[in-house]
């Protein structure tokens, strides 16, 4: 990542050269020329380069970039694949700042193409010129009405708006742009294809600073560079611009397909999702949800605790919508008395004047009554958003309905989310689109978008209170080296030194020493073999629990030495670790840190037993975390009720558990870069006030720190 | 439910009378008249009744139904609410078989209206005439081109087809009908409003027998009559006609809204879903999913193990679709070598010739190559269905694509599921619609429908092997009365007699007897108080576990009597139940039977501890069940891995557990109607070969059988 970091002149260049300009119908150079000359409002300098022509359409053609009278900010390359590298070299030599390479036939075709891409990166590294592409449709800056693209569809999708879109491939990006048909305006779209240099993260970062872009929608097949992505979304969060993301690669099929399509790292779906949630990136499940959610956030920003009103003229639809609101975990607003009174006066007696509102069909033909009823609902102080499903096209009747919706929406900043449920469009649909309502097409999809909108408001509240987290990978200098942690006693000594609570324990070399230690700490005790050569202590017969007196300990001493000698013949045994048994009745948890290949150190916590292994009930965060994050992590567990205390059990000491998670976070931060893996398993959690105890622990140093 | 059961003459009457015929613009009677005379192909006898007119539009008006020259099969009532009851009485007296009541202003308006509805039911009971409505748009028989409805939209929605739709309200039903815009044909639609007599279940039952209807889609706000619903869907299953259902009432909001809209029983969402799954009813989550899933089933029936191919010309879209296929738990087909060879020959080198197929955009302009490639995929023997997402509208290019899809679909019975992802429609979209492809509008919704289609094939295989189950509520005569089961020893004796395995146990009256019993069965033992007055034995201090010898038992004997006397002062104690302890290391499960208010006896099974209470991990079935059902129930548990044996534990004796579930089913069948509730908790499950043991049991007789 060298060269110019400010992408302003890529999005909005003062001068452009089109290398490979053409007037041949259907050619890439021809389309690109038409887009910038006929369909754009470009007022800067445009140079054409084509050594085989002297002019095209009345414009001069220059033989080379070197021959141009001035140095353009941006070069667009529409030349055959073999000519791309020389052209890039020429641009770099001339001092061009940005080059968009439309041409395909590189990394996506195999090893040879990848080698050519490596040479492109070499040019970037040496010259500082930034490359966009290759194998891409180019960049579309709708808000400036500027098409730096060869796409013949450019001229069709020109509804400006507050959404910035950053994709890798082109097909799905154009799919998103065609939501303009529903009145969803898009300000800029980048689709950087093979991303030899500039990648999705760079565009997210840039768009966060672009005036007129309020929400960023991104489609990720993979994340090439974790820190760059983290930096970008953190910057967007700081600029208060929500990022909505669809990340392919949740299933094995998707991971494989995305990898073969873009050769980027798919990564662990669980970690990806956890990272996005933590950074305030709104993850969606489908391409239509991406644009719908972005559009809703562009219309209005949620407060920290938004409640919903359902407004409808069909009883069945009202019931269905309320049902979905409930299933999504959203809250229906409780109407103020004033609202109820107003509704009762406006609606027929058998209509439902509570939330969900069912006006019944009776008043649909009366525009004034429709508007007044809707206005009463939207103005209720408890209502943050109105969901307005329209089940069917009904000619003039639905047109009047739509007009009343548009009218009331103009009076308020609270979003009215209209859903045009029918496959039959009509005048009412057009009224909604033209009125800026951006109608959804299914209740379920609308409710999903609303749920994400509400959740973003909650996240924003937290982010405003504690600042957007800065992941360790971005900020922390390499930390302290690890001490020797090759045995449990060593690992525990190190952890205890960093504030992780432990039961009383002592490494003993003789039976007498062990018996004395046990008597001092109090029976019952556990005895465990201490040896760097025995990784799986239990499997090797190296553990004895519940030893109640000196004679039981003596037997165990004998048995452990015997078993371990049989299981791991040449193990060097340092002695036995004698440890006070945790009190009965605790809950076991598992706390771990591992290095994600993309995003760096990830903290995981789950309940012991089957919860992690079988039910995959794990909560994750990038480090470092605050105490509030730690509390959130515990609340996110499906089995959280177990910590709260179920079936007559007392509530557990979740505060101590949360503090211990923070202690682990601090510890990893202090040793940043030195720990490959850390696991406290089990971490015993007592009843409230009893604290927690690390019963076993394992730390693996990073390869480069390993002894 | 008295009167005519065959609804043939309601759907296809030989003669009809319209009571309240009118030529007033915008009147119900006027629309109904237009629909049957101008927009229907009705060739039977049509009578008009209106005492204030002698003729309308050249047709005679009769003063009353009584005055008609012959008795019509069907009466349509378009008269004001106060005139409805007299008109119904007149029709019934005349011997009319069916009456459709359009008029509103009855049950939906309050108590007075409900009283009028009770009188309508009285007419049904006394005359046998069946009533459809009131407060409904009527019945639409598209396949006969017959509108027995006042809906002015009747004439717009006349695309015949194989789907039967049964709804309660009208708005969502019309929404479904408007899917005709996507080429989805609907044969009949019933929307019986307040359902005073005929209800959704009756229409499902009838449609299952109608030639030309292949799939039934139903929208349920509530089920009024559980057995009638069960009978209907069982009949449909026997006729091999899939039923797709959207049931409102999954969340508390939905339950309340549906109840206030239709006054039907919402029931328990968990039981509803379990019943549907068991009876082969395909439950969906949204209204668009209802029609989409029905349309897919109407296009092709799934085999028992269908695998999917993804075919696409955009790499990102291919990856996204494959990802969703994987996340939905579906399988991508593994292509045959022949297919791979064909694809390799047809596609450019960098295209993906494996599944998912990414043809790349290159060949999209070549209709022959497009068709040949798609044909190669669809003809692969491993492929059961092709998902073909089209991400954007691209004018002539997407038209050619669509034409190739339509062409190849005509050559094969395997469904090609096209998804038109863009909000911009175009010529390609129209080609798909006209070609019968019924394009989906989002990949996610298409994948959901495909997953349901595949699951239906799996269910069908089972139903064909073991016959569609007949729920107890439909078939079983009232069974044996319960014996006295008021204490644990009595309940256990009864269960043991019905083949439920128990640990050795004996009711003892003296300590000596208890000690003798324990010695005979082998230590350790459990001692539990036996008293009909002590319901919660543990809470009353009435249980002692792990008693290892006679002296421990003696102490426990004393302690239990003491504690129980203190906790339940006047309890009549019959003695202590002495029971052999279950071997260590078993898994505890919970087996219960309760009476669902709608569907009768429901069997539940879950794992003990937090699984049922906290994680709500329960599998349910209507009784009776077969051994295969029992095995399925265990497999359905999210925590099933625990039974298979995790974390070094041996596999559990799931076969004994399954056999015990069947024994419980047999037991409840034998005592049908006599058991309000039965709970075996815990049911201990040993390792494979160790069997199961009912450690505690509770049975509550039904009110009318209680002693």
């Amino acid at each position: 990542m060298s060269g110019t970091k400010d992408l302003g002149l890529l999005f909005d260049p003062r001068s452009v050269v089109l290398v490979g300009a053409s007037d041949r119908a259907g050619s890439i150079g021809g389309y690109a020329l038409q887009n910038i000359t006929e369909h754009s409002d470009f007022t800067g300098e445009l140079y054409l380069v084509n050594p085989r022509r002297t002019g095209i359409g009345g414009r001069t053609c220059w033989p080379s970039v070197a021959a141009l009278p001035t140095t353009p900010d941006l070069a667009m390359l529409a030349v055959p694949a073999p000519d791309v590298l020389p052209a890039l070299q020429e641009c770099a030599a001339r001092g061009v700042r940005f080059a968009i390479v439309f041409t395909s036939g590189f990394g996506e075709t195999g090893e040879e193409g990848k080698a050519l891409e490596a040479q492109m990166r070499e040019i970037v590294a040496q010259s500082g010129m930034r490359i966009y592409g290759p194998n891409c449709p180019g960049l579309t800056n709708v808000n400036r009405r500027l098409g730096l693209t060869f796409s013949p569809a450019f001229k069709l999708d020109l509804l400006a708006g507050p959404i910035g879109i950053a994709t890798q491939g082109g097909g799905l990006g154009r799919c998103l742009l065609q939501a303009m048909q529903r009145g969803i305006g898009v300000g800029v779209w980048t689709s950087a294809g093979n991303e030899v240099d500039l990648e999705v993260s760079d565009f997210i970062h840039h768009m966060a600073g672009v005036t007129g872009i309020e929400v960023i929608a991104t489609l990720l097949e993979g994340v090439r560079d974790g820190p760059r992505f983290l930096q970008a979304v953190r910057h967007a969060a700081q600029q208060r611009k929500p990022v909505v993301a669809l990340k392919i690669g949740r299933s094995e099929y998707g991971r494989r397909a995305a990898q073969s399509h873009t050769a980027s790292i798919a990564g662990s779906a669980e970690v990806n999702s956890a990272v996005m949630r933590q950074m305030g990136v709104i993850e969606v499940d489908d391409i239509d949800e991406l644009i719908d959610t972005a559009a809703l956030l562009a219309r209005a920003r949620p407060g920290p605790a938004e409640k919903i009103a359902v407004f409808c003229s069909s009883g069945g639809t009202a019931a269905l919508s309320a049902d979905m609101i409930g299933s999504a975990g959203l809250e229906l607003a409780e109407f103020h008395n004033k609202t109820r009174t107003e509704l009762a006066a406006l609606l027929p007696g058998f209509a439902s004047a509570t939330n969900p509102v069912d006006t019944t069909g009776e008043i649909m033909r009366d525009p004034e009554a429709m508007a007044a009823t809707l206005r009463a609902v939207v103005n209720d102080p408890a209502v943050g958003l109105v969901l307005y499903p329209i089940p069917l096209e009904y000619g003039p009747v639905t047109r009047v309905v739509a007009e009343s919706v548009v009218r009331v929406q103009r009076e308020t900043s609270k979003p009215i989310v209209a859903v045009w449920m029918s496959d039959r469009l009509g005048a009412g649909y057009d009224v909604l689109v033209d009125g800026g309502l951006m109608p959804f097409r299914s209740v379920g999809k609308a409710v999903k978008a609303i749920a994400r909108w509400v959740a973003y408001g909650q996240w924003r509240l937290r982010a405003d209170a504690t600042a957007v987290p800065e992941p360790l990978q971005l900020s922390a200098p390499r930390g302290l080296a690890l001490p020797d942690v090759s045995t449990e006693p060593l690992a525990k000594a190190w952890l205890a030194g960093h504030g992780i609570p432990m039961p009383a324990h002592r490494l003993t070399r003789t039976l007498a020493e062990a018996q004395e230690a046990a008597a001092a700490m109090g029976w019952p005790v556990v005895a465990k073999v201490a040896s760097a050569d025995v990784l799986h202590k239990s499997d090797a017969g190296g553990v004895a629990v519940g030893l109640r007196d000196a004679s039981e300990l003596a037997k165990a001493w004998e048995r452990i030495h015997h078993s371990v000698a049989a299981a791991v013949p040449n193990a060097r045994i340092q002695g036995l670790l004698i440890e006070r048994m945790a009190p009965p009745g605790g809950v076991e948890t598992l706390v771990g840190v591992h290095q994600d290949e993309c995003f760096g150190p990830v903290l995981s916590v789950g309940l012991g037993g089957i919860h992690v292994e079988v039910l995959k009930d794990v909560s994750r965060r990038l480090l470092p975390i605050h105490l509030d994050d730690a509390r959130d992590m515990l609340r996110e567990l499906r089995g959280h009720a177990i910590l709260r205390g179920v079936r007559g059990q007392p509530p557990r000491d979740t505060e101590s558990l949360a503090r211990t998670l923070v202690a682990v976070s601090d510890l990893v931060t202090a040793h940043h870069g030195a720990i490959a893996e850390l696991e406290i398993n089990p971490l015993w959690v007592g009843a409230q006030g009893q604290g927690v105890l690390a019963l076993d622990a394992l730390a693996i140093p990073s390869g480069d720190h390993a002894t």
Side-chain angles (χ1 to χ4, degrees), chain A residues 597-613:
Chain A
E597 60 174 336
C598 198
F599 295 114
V602 175
L603 174 71
S604 306
V605 63
L607 290 157
I610 53 126
H611 293 272
V612 170
E613 281 180 56

PDB file of all heavy atoms in Angstrom, chain A residues 597-613:
ATOM      1  N   GLU A 597      -6.275 -15.268  10.832  1.00  0.00           N
ATOM      2  CA  GLU A 597      -5.291 -14.955   9.782  1.00  0.00           C
ATOM      3  C   GLU A 597      -5.552 -13.588   9.159  1.00  0.00           C
ATOM      4  O   GLU A 597      -4.668 -12.954   8.615  1.00  0.00           O
ATOM      5  CB  GLU A 597      -5.278 -16.040   8.696  1.00  0.00           C
ATOM      6  CG  GLU A 597      -6.612 -16.213   8.014  1.00  0.00           C
ATOM      7  CD  GLU A 597      -6.569 -17.188   6.823  1.00  0.00           C
ATOM      8  OE1 GLU A 597      -5.494 -17.391   6.239  1.00  0.00           O
ATOM      9  OE2 GLU A 597      -7.645 -17.734   6.488  1.00  0.00           O
ATOM     10  N   CYS A 598      -6.788 -13.152   9.258  1.00  0.00           N
ATOM     11  CA  CYS A 598      -7.150 -11.881   8.641  1.00  0.00           C
ATOM     12  C   CYS A 598      -7.157 -10.724   9.648  1.00  0.00           C
ATOM     13  O   CYS A 598      -6.675  -9.641   9.358  1.00  0.00           O
ATOM     14  CB  CYS A 598      -8.530 -12.047   8.006  1.00  0.00           C
ATOM     15  SG  CYS A 598      -8.937 -10.817   6.792  1.00  0.00           S
ATOM     16  N   PHE A 599      -7.702 -10.974  10.833  1.00  0.00           N
ATOM     17  CA  PHE A 599      -8.000  -9.858  11.735  1.00  0.00           C
ATOM     18  C   PHE A 599      -7.184  -9.837  13.028  1.00  0.00           C
ATOM     19  O   PHE A 599      -7.422  -8.999  13.894  1.00  0.00           O
ATOM     20  CB  PHE A 599      -9.494  -9.848  12.078  1.00  0.00           C
ATOM     21  CG  PHE A 599     -10.371  -9.573  10.891  1.00  0.00           C
ATOM     22  CD1 PHE A 599     -11.232 -10.535  10.392  1.00  0.00           C
ATOM     23  CD2 PHE A 599     -10.315  -8.339  10.257  1.00  0.00           C
ATOM     24  CE1 PHE A 599     -12.037 -10.280   9.288  1.00  0.00           C
ATOM     25  CE2 PHE A 599     -11.112  -8.068   9.163  1.00  0.00           C
ATOM     26  CZ  PHE A 599     -11.972  -9.036   8.676  1.00  0.00           C
ATOM     27  N   GLY A 600      -6.265 -10.781  13.199  1.00  0.00           N
ATOM     28  CA  GLY A 600      -5.434 -10.739  14.401  1.00  0.00           C
ATOM     29  C   GLY A 600      -6.097 -11.398  15.593  1.00  0.00           C
ATOM     30  O   GLY A 600      -6.961 -12.271  15.442  1.00  0.00           O
ATOM     31  N   PRO A 601      -5.703 -10.998  16.814  1.00  0.00           N
ATOM     32  CA  PRO A 601      -6.122 -11.738  18.006  1.00  0.00           C
ATOM     33  C   PRO A 601      -7.621 -11.622  18.295  1.00  0.00           C
ATOM     34  O   PRO A 601      -8.173 -10.526  18.365  1.00  0.00           O
ATOM     35  CB  PRO A 601      -5.311 -11.112  19.141  1.00  0.00           C
ATOM     36  CG  PRO A 601      -4.704  -9.881  18.608  1.00  0.00           C
ATOM     37  CD  PRO A 601      -4.757  -9.918  17.123  1.00  0.00           C
ATOM     38  N   VAL A 602      -8.258 -12.777  18.442  1.00  0.00           N
ATOM     39  CA  VAL A 602      -9.699 -12.865  18.697  1.00  0.00           C
ATOM     40  C   VAL A 602      -9.908 -13.563  20.039  1.00  0.00           C
ATOM     41  O   VAL A 602      -9.351 -14.638  20.269  1.00  0.00           O
ATOM     42  CB  VAL A 602     -10.404 -13.670  17.587  1.00  0.00           C
ATOM     43  CG1 VAL A 602     -11.880 -13.863  17.919  1.00  0.00           C
ATOM     44  CG2 VAL A 602     -10.241 -12.982  16.236  1.00  0.00           C
ATOM     45  N   LEU A 603     -10.698 -12.946  20.888  1.00  0.00           N
ATOM     46  CA  LEU A 603     -11.050 -13.538  22.179  1.00  0.00           C
ATOM     47  C   LEU A 603     -12.375 -14.283  22.038  1.00  0.00           C
ATOM     48  O   LEU A 603     -13.309 -13.763  21.435  1.00  0.00           O
ATOM     49  CB  LEU A 603     -11.198 -12.420  23.215  1.00  0.00           C
ATOM     50  CG  LEU A 603     -11.711 -12.813  24.603  1.00  0.00           C
ATOM     51  CD1 LEU A 603     -10.644 -13.599  25.357  1.00  0.00           C
ATOM     52  CD2 LEU A 603     -12.098 -11.569  25.400  1.00  0.00           C
ATOM     53  N   SER A 604     -12.431 -15.513  22.582  1.00  0.00           N
ATOM     54  CA  SER A 604     -13.671 -16.288  22.544  1.00  0.00           C
ATOM     55  C   SER A 604     -14.051 -16.678  23.957  1.00  0.00           C
ATOM     56  O   SER A 604     -13.182 -16.985  24.769  1.00  0.00           O
ATOM     57  CB  SER A 604     -13.486 -17.579  21.745  1.00  0.00           C
ATOM     58  OG  SER A 604     -12.993 -17.311  20.469  1.00  0.00           O
ATOM     59  N   VAL A 605     -15.337 -16.694  24.235  1.00  0.00           N
ATOM     60  CA  VAL A 605     -15.793 -17.233  25.512  1.00  0.00           C
ATOM     61  C   VAL A 605     -17.046 -18.060  25.284  1.00  0.00           C
ATOM     62  O   VAL A 605     -17.866 -17.740  24.414  1.00  0.00           O
ATOM     63  CB  VAL A 605     -16.047 -16.102  26.555  1.00  0.00           C
ATOM     64  CG1 VAL A 605     -17.155 -15.162  26.114  1.00  0.00           C
ATOM     65  CG2 VAL A 605     -16.396 -16.704  27.919  1.00  0.00           C
ATOM     66  N   GLY A 606     -17.137 -19.166  26.003  1.00  0.00           N
ATOM     67  CA  GLY A 606     -18.315 -20.015  25.896  1.00  0.00           C
ATOM     68  C   GLY A 606     -18.483 -20.784  27.180  1.00  0.00           C
ATOM     69  O   GLY A 606     -17.588 -20.794  28.036  1.00  0.00           O
ATOM     70  N   LEU A 607     -19.633 -21.414  27.331  1.00  0.00           N
ATOM     71  CA  LEU A 607     -19.841 -22.260  28.497  1.00  0.00           C
ATOM     72  C   LEU A 607     -19.209 -23.612  28.232  1.00  0.00           C
ATOM     73  O   LEU A 607     -19.126 -24.067  27.085  1.00  0.00           O
ATOM     74  CB  LEU A 607     -21.341 -22.407  28.767  1.00  0.00           C
ATOM     75  CG  LEU A 607     -21.987 -21.117  29.276  1.00  0.00           C
ATOM     76  CD1 LEU A 607     -23.476 -21.111  29.011  1.00  0.00           C
ATOM     77  CD2 LEU A 607     -21.730 -20.976  30.769  1.00  0.00           C
ATOM     78  N   GLY A 608     -18.756 -24.261  29.300  1.00  0.00           N
ATOM     79  CA  GLY A 608     -18.069 -25.542  29.144  1.00  0.00           C
ATOM     80  C   GLY A 608     -19.019 -26.660  28.744  1.00  0.00           C
ATOM     81  O   GLY A 608     -20.191 -26.436  28.463  1.00  0.00           O
ATOM     82  N   GLY A 609     -18.483 -27.850  28.728  1.00  0.00           N
ATOM     83  CA  GLY A 609     -19.306 -28.996  28.357  1.00  0.00           C
ATOM     84  C   GLY A 609     -19.650 -28.938  26.887  1.00  0.00           C
ATOM     85  O   GLY A 609     -18.811 -28.635  26.056  1.00  0.00           O
ATOM     86  N   ILE A 610     -20.930 -29.199  26.594  1.00  0.00           N
ATOM     87  CA  ILE A 610     -21.302 -29.328  25.198  1.00  0.00           C
ATOM     88  C   ILE A 610     -21.529 -27.986  24.517  1.00  0.00           C
ATOM     89  O   ILE A 610     -21.703 -27.933  23.308  1.00  0.00           O
ATOM     90  CB  ILE A 610     -22.601 -30.134  25.076  1.00  0.00           C
ATOM     91  CG1 ILE A 610     -23.668 -29.510  25.982  1.00  0.00           C
ATOM     92  CG2 ILE A 610     -22.387 -31.569  25.457  1.00  0.00           C
ATOM     93  CD1 ILE A 610     -24.893 -29.183  25.268  1.00  0.00           C
ATOM     94  N   HIS A 611     -21.584 -26.899  25.282  1.00  0.00           N
ATOM     95  CA  HIS A 611     -22.018 -25.631  24.685  1.00  0.00           C
ATOM     96  C   HIS A 611     -21.123 -25.160  23.558  1.00  0.00           C
ATOM     97  O   HIS A 611     -21.591 -24.687  22.543  1.00  0.00           O
ATOM     98  CB  HIS A 611     -22.129 -24.556  25.761  1.00  0.00           C
ATOM     99  CG  HIS A 611     -23.219 -24.837  26.733  1.00  0.00           C
ATOM    100  ND1 HIS A 611     -24.494 -24.417  26.530  1.00  0.00           N
ATOM    101  CD2 HIS A 611     -23.227 -25.556  27.873  1.00  0.00           C
ATOM    102  CE1 HIS A 611     -25.252 -24.854  27.532  1.00  0.00           C
ATOM    103  NE2 HIS A 611     -24.506 -25.532  28.361  1.00  0.00           N
ATOM    104  N   VAL A 612     -19.828 -25.267  23.768  1.00  0.00           N
ATOM    105  CA  VAL A 612     -18.910 -24.830  22.728  1.00  0.00           C
ATOM    106  C   VAL A 612     -18.796 -25.901  21.655  1.00  0.00           C
ATOM    107  O   VAL A 612     -18.983 -25.648  20.475  1.00  0.00           O
ATOM    108  CB  VAL A 612     -17.526 -24.515  23.335  1.00  0.00           C
ATOM    109  CG1 VAL A 612     -16.507 -24.294  22.246  1.00  0.00           C
ATOM    110  CG2 VAL A 612     -17.626 -23.292  24.246  1.00  0.00           C
ATOM    111  N   GLU A 613     -18.554 -27.125  22.085  1.00  0.00           N
ATOM    112  CA  GLU A 613     -18.244 -28.175  21.111  1.00  0.00           C
ATOM    113  C   GLU A 613     -19.435 -28.588  20.273  1.00  0.00           C
ATOM    114  O   GLU A 613     -19.334 -28.751  19.072  1.00  0.00           O
ATOM    115  CB  GLU A 613     -17.699 -29.418  21.822  1.00  0.00           C
ATOM    116  CG  GLU A 613     -16.254 -29.279  22.216  1.00  0.00           C
ATOM    117  CD  GLU A 613     -15.777 -30.538  22.911  1.00  0.00           C
ATOM    118  OE1 GLU A 613     -15.892 -31.619  22.315  1.00  0.00           O
ATOM    119  OE2 GLU A 613     -15.327 -30.437  24.069  1.00  0.00           O
TER     120      GLU A 613
END
